[in-house]
Amino acid sequence: MQNIKEIKIGRYLIKVGEFPNGFRFNIFAHDKSLFGKGVEASEAKAIDAARSLISQQKQRKLSERVNGIPTAEEFVEAFTAIKPSDAQWEMLKAHYNAPGRKLTSDQLADAAGYEHMYGANTQYGLLGHKLSDYLDYMPPGKYKDGQPLWITILVNHQGESFEEDTGYFQHEMRQEVAVALELLGAT
C-alpha cells in the first residue's frame, strides 16, 4: 500500500491507493461500513468509479420514494446517523404513541419537558433540518416568507387537524417516520 488518498463525497469517504494491480478504492458509509470497492487503471478512473457507485445508490434510493418522500429505511439510516437528542427522542416517542399519531406543539413540549411550545417547535425543526440535509430532501412545507418548514419532513404538512379542547393545530406524524421508529425499536 502506498500513499492512500482520502476524498469525501457527500456522506461517503473514499480511500484510493496504488497497488501492483492498479488503483484500488474503498467507499465507506457514514457508519464506517464498507459501501463499495473496486480497482481501476488510474487514480482518476478509481475516483470516477467510486462517484458512479455513489450516484447509482442515490438514484436507486430516490426511485424507491413515493411522491419523493424518503422511505422508512432511509429514515432509519438518518436517525442512526444524526443521533437525535434525548428530548427529540421523547417527542418522537410521544408523537408515535399519541392517538392517530397527532400532537399539538404544546403536547410535544410536555413530552420533552419544555415549558413552552417554542422549545418543542425549535427542537423538532432542528431535527427536521438535520434529517432533510442527511436525506437530501426538501420538505414540502414553507413559511409565508418561503423558508422551509423543516418539521414537515416529520409530519404531514397538509393535514388540517385541530384539537377539540384547545383549537390548537395537531401535527400528524408521517407514516414513514412511524415505521422507521418501529424498525429502530424506539416506540
Side-chain angles (χ1 to χ4, degrees), residues 102-157:
K102 296 178 184 179
L103 286 180
T104 66
S105 292
D106 277 340
Q107 291 167 326
L108 286 168
D110 288 344
Y114 295 116
E115 286 186 42
H116 301 287
M117 70 176 181
Y118 305 110
N121 287 344
T122 298
Q123 288 302 309
Y124 240 31
L126 288 171
L127 177 60
H129 195 166
K130 286 181 181 181
L131 288 168
S132 295
D133 287 349
Y134 184 88
L135 295 169
D136 195 21
Y137 174 76
M138 184 55 68
K142 304 274 184 251
Y143 287 103
K144 289 179 183 175
D145 67 359
Q147 293 296 311
L149 182 56
W150 299 111
I151 191 175
T152 59
I153 191 172
L154 296 165
V155 301
N156 295 320
H157 78 290

Side-chain angles (χ1 to χ4, degrees), residues 25-181:
F25 67 90
N26 288 332
I27 307 169
F28 297 94
H30 69 282
D31 62 358
K32 298 184 174 49
S33 64
L34 184 64
F35 169 76
K37 61 183 180 177
V39 179
E40 295 292 335
S42 71
E43 182 179 290
K45 286 184 179 182
I47 293 169
D48 285 346
R51 282 193 171 126
S52 178
L53 287 174
I54 292 168
S55 178
Q56 289 170 21
Q57 170 72 353
K58 184 176 179 178
Q59 289 304 315
R60 185 188 64 73
K61 284 186 176 186
L62 290 174
S63 73
E64 292 174 356
R65 293 180 177 182
V66 176
N67 297 323
I69 298 166
T71 64
E73 292 75 15
E74 287 180 280
F75 276 109
V76 167
E77 180 183 324
F79 282 131
T80 302
I82 67 170
K83 298 177 178 36
S85 70
D86 290 343
Q88 290 167 338
W89 277 120
E90 290 305 315
M91 288 190 292
L92 287 166
K93 289 175 189 177
H95 207 168
Y96 175 88
N97 288 301
R101 297 203 176 101
K102 296 178 184 179
L103 286 180
T104 66
S105 292
D106 277 340
Q107 291 167 326
L108 286 168
D110 288 344
Y114 295 116
E115 286 186 42
H116 301 287
M117 70 176 181
Y118 305 110
N121 287 344
T122 298
Q123 288 302 309
Y124 240 31
L126 288 171
L127 177 60
H129 195 166
K130 286 181 181 181
L131 288 168
S132 295
D133 287 349
Y134 184 88
L135 295 169
D136 195 21
Y137 174 76
M138 184 55 68
K142 304 274 184 251
Y143 287 103
K144 289 179 183 175
D145 67 359
Q147 293 296 311
L149 182 56
W150 299 111
I151 191 175
T152 59
I153 191 172
L154 296 165
V155 301
N156 295 320
H157 78 290
Q158 293 180 338
E160 292 295 325
S161 178
F162 296 90
E163 186 181 47
E164 286 184 30
D165 295 344
T166 64
Y168 290 155
F169 180 79
Q170 291 182 309
H171 304 287
E172 180 183 354
M173 180 178 274
R174 284 191 182 282
Q175 179 64 24
E176 296 84 358
V177 174
V179 172
L181 294 175

